[in-house]
Each structure stands twice: as structure tokens, then as C-alpha cells.
Amino acid sequence: MDEKGRRKWIYAKNPKGKWFNKRAFFTIAWLAFFILAPIIKINGEPFMLLDIVNRKFIIFGAIFWAQDTFIMALLMLSFVFFILLFTVTFGRIWCGWACPQTIFLEMIFRKIEFLVEGDYKQRHQLDQASWSAQKIFKKLLKHGLFILMSIILTNIFLMWFTGPEKLIQIITDPIQAHLQGFVIMLLVSAVFYWIYSFFREQICTMVCPYGRMQGVLLDKKSIIVAYDYKRGEPRGTKEGGDCINCQQCISVCPTGIDIRNGAQLECINCTACIDACDQVMEKVSKPKGLIRFDSIEGIEKGHKSIWNTRNRAYSVVLAILLGFFIYTLFTRPDVETSILRVPGTLYQVSEDGQVSNVYNLKIVNKTHDKMNLHVKLVTPNGKIKQAIEKPIELGIHERAERVYIVEFPKSSLSHGKNSIEFGIYNDKGELIENVGVGFLAP
Ligand code: SF4
Ligand code: SF4
């Protein structure tokens, strides 16, 4: 912000150098994963899919259903601990290298901007200049490309929730057939466009809660992008430190900060200042690494050890969580059944003294084989009244829903809630799963 509290627009210099090249390779791999993960098929299913409508989630090829909430919770918890461990140890490296916000802004939208409007000086001059045919052309071209890229990214993002086939169907069908999806796509595209055209780095410096957590997560041993003040200061003097006060590290910074002021909330560890300073050091024949990946302790004492009590403790918790997750994943049943009394219903009593309850059955085949399943009452002796007596035929990873009416003689029941048990059997008559539910009687 300037002295009056107004936003200072950042004209960051186009970064170049060894670290930028590494980030560019990583970005290509990241974007390939982002685009291909919902398209690649393993055993006929996508590698990644978040099908919220059908409550089916495929993560790295493993399928999770709504009934797998516990396993999903374990996975999420493991992910949170992984992020904590990673942040305590390596600082905000996620932000600079793998966060979608940084990848989209720094590696796609800013690159478009550099291409159309030029590097930081030309862009600054263009914005200061009065409107001319050339300025209008450049601005229209840049914002046109931004809108196009926002729409493309939104469609890829939506593919993670719909899968590629459904997405193509939505795109090719008339708009009226998917009006809701179309409106969502437009809104998400508009948000993307607004963020990458105008709001930009403020997401990292003002909005993102992860950025705000750095103050409590980082310590003196965390590896961050750091300025070696011992070597660099006093800056800009002939007999002084190595920093020649050229300010290249500031002009290249996408969040507009001066890394020489120490670790800051706004630093996303993008490494642009490392590259800029290394190039300066090369020119003045001084050793590279005045700005580098190091810990505060590493700079103070000259040696670095990434281990401390916190990341050791997080590692142990993460190992336990992951072990438990893998165990529950591989021992989960082949078939997942949930049977619940139809909401809002109690019981019915017929003239011949039979009491009945109505149940909803939801069943999922989690295997890669087709299954024919039979539902029977295990205890107590009673009757399932079904409209169709055929077995439930389930294809690979298919779900089915049925309604059952269960009936007992009133004399065999206690007042209020009774316990009954269903059994799910395969074609060979083998019991696959038992499901206990309550039965209401007058
Ligand atoms: S780029 Fe390096 S030498 Fe130049 S001001 Fe920054 S830290 Fe100092
Ligand atoms: S200080 Fe350096 S690493 Fe941090 S955001 Fe700025 S350029 Fe990137």
C-alpha cells in the first residue's frame, strides 16, 4: 500500500534463472496432472474424480463412497499433517511451487501479460500512457486471452467433478439442457478472471489462511527463502557487505516485498529473488547464494539441521495416520450396505395382527467383479415382502437402492424398538455382510 492506504499495483519483472527453470519443469508436470488426472483411466475408472452428485470419490485410482467417510476423514487428516510437517520443515514452498493460485497467476496469466504488454518497465509505461489505438489493442488482447484462459481452466476444474465424458456432453448439448452447470461455469470463470486480472497476489498476502498460519508454523530451523544479512550487510558500501543495493530482488518479487527485511508473511517462496540476486552476484564476481534456501539458524550459525521436536512429532503422527489409513483401505468390505427405516415412518398394523416397517437399502459393489446379491432376514424369523424377488444385480462399482417391507406377528414383538438383522448373501449362498437395524412396534 502507499502512504494513503491505496493499493500499489505491482509490476514484477519477468523472472529468469536456474530456480525459475526448475519451477517451470515442475509447473509442466503439475499442469499435466491437473489436465490428465480425470482423463486417465485405471480399470475403467478415472485416476481422480470428485463426483459429489453420486457421492463417489476416486483418489489416485482408489474409489471411496459416501459410506467410506471414515477412510476419507483419515486421508484428509493425513493430508493436513503432511502439510503441517512440510511447512514446519520447508516453509512456504507449497505456495511458490505447487499452489494452484501461484501456478495459474505466475506461470500462466503473468506470462500472457509479459507476452502481450512486455516486461515490467513497458507495462508500467503502458499503464501510465494515455489511451491510444495500440494501448486499446494490447489491453483487449490481454483481457481476451485472460477470459479465454479462465474459461479453459474452469472447464478443466469442472472435469474433476464430472469426468471428461460428462463434461463433453455438457459442452456439446444445448445450453438449456444444463443451464445450472452453464451458470456455475460462467460464475467460476468470472471469479478466476477477476482474481488473475485484478485481485492477484492479494489472495496470498491478505486472504489465504495458510499464509496467515506461517507465523505459528515456522521456526528458526524451517527452510525458507532467506537473505544472508551477515554476508550482505552493510549494503551498498565499497568496504561493506556483498549486497550492492541494486534492488533487483525487489523488482522481481511478485508480492512486492524486500526479502532483506527478513522472513515475511507476504513471501511465497517463489525463488525469483534468488535467481535475480545470483545473476547480480555473478556480474560483480561474488559467490552466489546471498539470497538462498536456508533457515534463520543456518544463516546465524552457518550450519543447518531441518529436524526439531515439532517436525519429529508430526512425522510420528503422520506415519500412524497413514498406516491406519492403508490398513482400513485394504480391509474394507467388498460390499457396503446401509439399511435405514424410511424417514418419517413408524409402523403399520394389519387386520391379521402383522406389524410392518419400511426400509431403504443402499448397496455398493466395491469390487472389480459383477455381483448378484440376495437380501434375507437373519434374526428373528420374519418376512421380507418384496415386489421383485430377483437378486440385486450389481456391475463393477455399481450402486443400487431398494425398498423393503419387513413384517412380524405382533405377538413376537416387544413394545417400542426391537432389533433385527439383515444378511447380504452372494449367489453361492455365502454371507457377505450383516446389517443390524431397529424395528418399531406398538
Ligand atoms: S539483488 Fe542481491 S545485491 Fe541486489 S539488492 Fe537484492 S540482495 Fe542486494
Ligand atoms: S521475497 Fe523472493 S521468494 Fe519471496 S515472494 Fe518475493 S521474490 Fe518470491
Side-chain angles (χ1 to χ4, degrees):
M1 287 183 201
D2 64 14
E3 306 73 45
K4 291 188 175 158
R6 285 174 308 207
R7 178 184 180 186
K8 263 165 84 179
W9 192 264
I10 293 169
Y11 295 93
K13 198 175 167 183
N14 196 0
K16 288 185 183 76
K18 185 182 84 178
W19 284 100
F20 176 76
N21 293 342
K22 287 183 187 174
R23 274 209 304 146
F25 279 122
F26 187 83
T27 300
I28 292 168
W30 191 101
L31 286 173
F33 177 77
F34 178 58
I35 298 166
L36 296 176
I39 298 174
I40 291 170
K41 296 262 160 86
I42 294 175
N43 292 325
E45 297 282 0
F47 189 57
M48 298 289 279
L49 181 73
L50 307 172
D51 186 352
I52 294 169
V53 176
N54 296 307
R55 285 170 289 163
K56 178 182 173 185
F57 306 91
I58 306 176
I59 297 170
F60 299 114
I63 302 178
F64 302 93
W65 303 91
Q67 292 88 342
D68 291 322
T69 319
F70 179 68
I71 307 179
M72 289 283 283
L74 272 179
L75 183 66
M76 294 298 159
L77 211 55
S78 304
F79 183 68
V80 169
F81 269 88
F82 174 73
I83 294 285
L84 286 177
L85 172 64
F86 208 73
T87 310
V88 168
T89 313
F90 296 110
R92 241 177 131 169
I93 208 162
W94 157 267
C95 303
W97 292 65
C99 175
Q101 158 72 11
T102 309
I103 294 216
F104 295 161
L105 176 60
E106 302 303 331
M107 306 305 261
I108 298 178
F109 287 87
R110 261 202 230 272
K111 295 295 164 202
I112 294 173
E113 196 168 65
F114 289 136
L115 201 69
V116 177
E117 295 185 348
D119 209 345
Y120 67 128
K121 278 188 186 150
Q122 289 104 308
R123 286 202 326 276
H124 191 234
Q125 281 163 5
L126 187 75
D127 282 357
Q128 297 298 311
S130 48
W131 286 98
S132 63
Q134 193 201 29
K135 182 170 174 174
I136 292 171
F137 172 74
K138 284 191 173 182
K139 292 288 174 194
L140 280 178
L141 181 61
K142 181 180 93 169
H143 287 282
L145 289 171
F146 275 12
I147 290 169
L148 180 67
M149 194 46 73
S150 302
I151 292 171
I152 292 172
L153 289 177
T154 304
N155 278 280
I156 299 171
F157 178 62
L158 290 180
M159 187 166 65
W160 277 62
F161 297 89
T162 61
E165 297 83 7
K166 181 93 175 137
L167 182 73
I168 290 169
Q169 191 197 341
I170 292 173
I171 292 171
T172 50
D173 278 356
I175 288 173
Q176 304 89 293
H178 304 279
L179 200 56
Q180 200 184 2
F182 182 69
V183 171
I184 291 172
M185 193 279 287
L186 279 188
L187 283 177
V188 177
S189 300
V191 170
F192 274 178
Y193 171 69
W194 175 72
I195 288 175
Y196 298 119
S197 303
F198 304 105
F199 204 65
R200 301 194 149 196
E201 74 287 343
Q202 293 180 113
I203 290 280
C204 311
T205 57
M206 288 163 53
V207 179
C208 176
Y210 177 62
R212 305 258 135 199
M213 278 163 55
Q214 305 305 308
V216 286
L217 289 176
L218 300 186
D219 64 18
K220 284 187 152 198
K221 288 190 170 183
S222 305
I223 302 291
I224 52 172
V225 172
Y227 166 67
D228 187 343
Y229 64 90
K230 283 196 152 182
R231 203 187 118 189
E233 301 295 318
R235 66 186 73 161
T237 55
K238 265 195 173 167
E239 294 78 28
D242 283 358
C243 173
I244 60 166
N245 206 14
C246 63
Q247 314 232 337
Q248 287 303 304
C249 50
I250 305 173
S251 64
V252 85
C253 178
T255 59
I257 59 168
D258 184 348
I259 192 65
R260 296 173 300 170
N261 294 337
Q264 289 151 79
L265 163 80
E266 292 86 352
C267 176
I268 56 166
N269 275 217
C270 73
T271 69
C273 55
I274 300 183
D275 278 335
C277 190
D278 277 353
Q279 284 156 23
V280 173
M281 290 296 110
E282 214 174 337
K283 280 183 194 150
V284 297
S285 305
K286 297 254 170 81
K288 291 179 184 176
L290 180 57
I291 302 175
R292 60 178 183 268
F293 271 119
D294 207 335
S295 61
I296 294 175
E297 192 179 87
I299 285 175
E300 278 173 2
K301 297 184 181 165
H303 64 87
K304 57 183 170 217
S305 151
I306 56 171
W307 290 105
N308 57 28
T309 316
R310 271 200 296 171
N311 54 18
R312 281 196 186 98
Y314 286 144
S315 302
V316 172
V317 176
L318 181 62
I320 293 170
L321 280 171
L322 279 177
F324 196 33
F325 165 73
I326 291 167
Y327 171 76
T328 42
L329 183 64
F330 284 101
T331 54
R332 63 183 176 164
D334 289 347
V335 168
E336 191 84 50
T337 316
S338 83
I339 302 177
L340 295 170
R341 235 185 25 260
V342 172
T345 61
L346 287 174
Y347 52 78
Q348 282 163 331
V349 186
S350 63
E351 282 175 1
D352 58 354
Q354 297 287 321
V355 183
S356 60
N357 281 198
V358 189
Y359 295 91
N360 266 340
L361 172 139
K362 291 179 185 171
I363 193 161
V364 183
N365 173 13
K366 294 179 176 175
T367 68
H368 294 288
D369 301 308
K370 290 180 182 173
M371 282 187 156
N372 286 342
L373 299 168
H374 305 261
V375 181
K376 295 177 186 172
L377 204 55
V378 180
T379 53
N381 266 336
K383 213 165 59 178
I384 299 182
K385 286 167 73 176
Q386 271 175 267
I388 307 163
E389 291 290 341
K390 286 195 299 185
I392 302 171
E393 292 173 11
L394 284 179
I396 300 164
H397 299 144
E398 252 183 24
R399 283 173 0 128
E401 292 190 22
R402 297 281 187 278
V403 175
Y404 291 105
I405 300 170
V406 179
E407 201 175 72
F408 295 105
K410 190 177 172 186
S411 54
S412 69
L413 298 164
S414 340
H415 166 70
K417 197 173 177 183
N418 297 261
S419 292
I420 65 168
E421 197 171 77
F422 289 92
I424 313 296
Y425 295 82
N426 64 15
D427 260 348
K428 295 176 198 156
E430 292 163 344
L431 179 67
I432 297 178
E433 198 185 2
N434 277 334
V435 186
V437 282
F439 184 98
L440 289 182

